[in-house]
Amino acid sequence: MDTPKSSDTDGPPQGLGLGLNLLTAVAVVIIGLTAVIAFKGRDIYNAYRNHRVKNQAAEAMELIKKERFEAASSVLQLALRAAPEHPAVNRTVAELFVQAHNDPQTAISFLRRVINSNEGEDSDRLRLGELLLETGDLSEARKIFAALPATLQTGRAGLELLASIKRASGEVIEADSILRRALLLEPDDVDAQLQLAIMDEAQALDHAKAGAAEAIWTIAHRNDEVSLKAIAYLTKSKTLSASQSKELRQLIDKHPKASDRERYEVLRVFTRLNPLERDAVIQHEVARNAG
C-alpha cells in the first residue's frame, strides 16, 4: 500500500508563519517602547515641571524685591499648584510672607517644609534662625545655630547669626565684637564695608566718625542694592542736613532698583527738611503717577 504523500497544504503556509513571527516581534517591540516611553515620559514631565516651577520661583523672587507682591503671589500660586513640595517654591513663599505680610510665623512653617524635605540648604537654616529671632524664639534659634556645620558657624553668615542671638540675649558688647569679626572676614564685600562703617559711625570717637560717614555716602552713590541700604540708613540720620536730603533725593530718583517705598521714604525726609518745596514735590508725584 502506497504511503500517502504530504500535501503542500499541511501545516501553516511558510509565508504565513514568517508573518506571524514578524508580527509577534513587532508587538514585543511596541510593548517595550510603550513601557520605556511611559517611564521616560514621566521623568521628562517631572524634569520639565521642576524647571518651570524653579523659573516661576525665581521670577516671583525678583517681583518680591521690587515689592510687586500681588504679581509675585499670582506666580507662586501657579507654582504651588504644580509642585506644592518644591523647595524653591516654598522658600520663595516664605520670603513673600515676610516681605509682604510681615508674617514670620507662616514663613517659618514654609522654611521648615524645605528643610524637612532633605533638600534644604545652609541658607535656609540661617534664614530660619533669623526668623525665629524675629518671633522671639531664642531657644530654637540657638538650636539652629548649634546644628550648623562647624565651617559655617565660623564663617561670616554663621557668625552674623550668632551675633544676632547674643544681641537678643542682651549681650550687646559681645554681639558687636562677633559681628565685627564676621564682617572682617570679607573686607572686599561692599555690604560688609557698609555695616562696618555704620558700626564705626555709631561707636567711634568724634574724630573718627567723619571717615565712617564719608564711607557710607560713597556707598550710597553706587547704583546697586547695597547703595539702597546706605540711602535708607542716611534717611534716618539725626544730623542729616537739607542739602544732604537733596542729594539723597537725586540718588534715589536715578537709582534703577529703587522701589516706591524707598523713594517715598527719601521724599518724606526731603519735604521735612525742605518744607518750602513740599507742594512742588506733591505735584511732581501726582504727575508721575497720573493714571
Side-chain angles (χ1 to χ4, degrees), residues 129 133 138 141-146 160-171 175:
L133 287 176
L138 188 56
R142 285 198 182 103
K143 291 179 182 178
I144 292 294
F145 178 79
E160 286 181 320
L161 177 59
L162 179 59
S164 297
I165 292 172
K166 293 291 185 181
R167 196 177 307 280
S169 303
E171 303 171 66

Side-chain angles (χ1 to χ4, degrees), residues 21 58 67-68 75 88 98 104 112 165-166 182 217 229:
N21 290 337
E67 298 186 354
R68 296 178 57 192
V75 173
V98 173
R112 287 197 186 279
I165 292 172
K166 293 291 185 181
W217 276 99
K229 294 181 182 179

Side-chain angles (χ1 to χ4, degrees), residues 112-145:
R112 287 197 186 279
R113 288 171 65 177
V114 176
I115 293 170
N116 292 337
S117 70
N118 295 322
E119 295 188 54
E121 301 172 358
D122 289 336
S123 58
D124 298 318
R125 295 175 177 83
L126 290 166
R127 186 64 172 137
L128 178 59
E130 294 170 357
L131 294 177
L132 288 167
L133 287 176
E134 284 188 29
T135 63
D137 198 338
L138 188 56
S139 175
E140 280 299 308
R142 285 198 182 103
K143 291 179 182 178
I144 292 294
F145 178 79

Side-chain angles (χ1 to χ4, degrees), residues 79-105:
L80 278 171
R81 280 199 292 268
E85 300 302 325
H86 198 287
V89 176
N90 284 298
R91 185 180 296 123
T92 310
V93 171
E95 202 59 34
L96 178 65
F97 272 97
V98 173
Q99 302 299 333
H101 307 296
N102 191 26
D103 184 1
Q105 286 287 9

Side-chain angles (χ1 to χ4, degrees), residues 192-234:
Q193 293 171 8
L194 174 61
Q195 291 191 61
L196 284 168
I198 290 173
M199 292 180 70
D200 288 341
E201 189 184 43
Q203 299 172 358
L205 298 175
D206 288 343
H207 69 275
K209 288 182 181 292
E214 183 180 353
I216 296 170
W217 276 99
T218 298
I219 293 172
H221 277 264
R222 299 168 57 98
N223 279 336
D224 56 19
E225 292 182 1
V226 180
S227 66
L228 289 173
K229 294 181 182 179
I231 292 171
Y233 171 79
L234 290 168

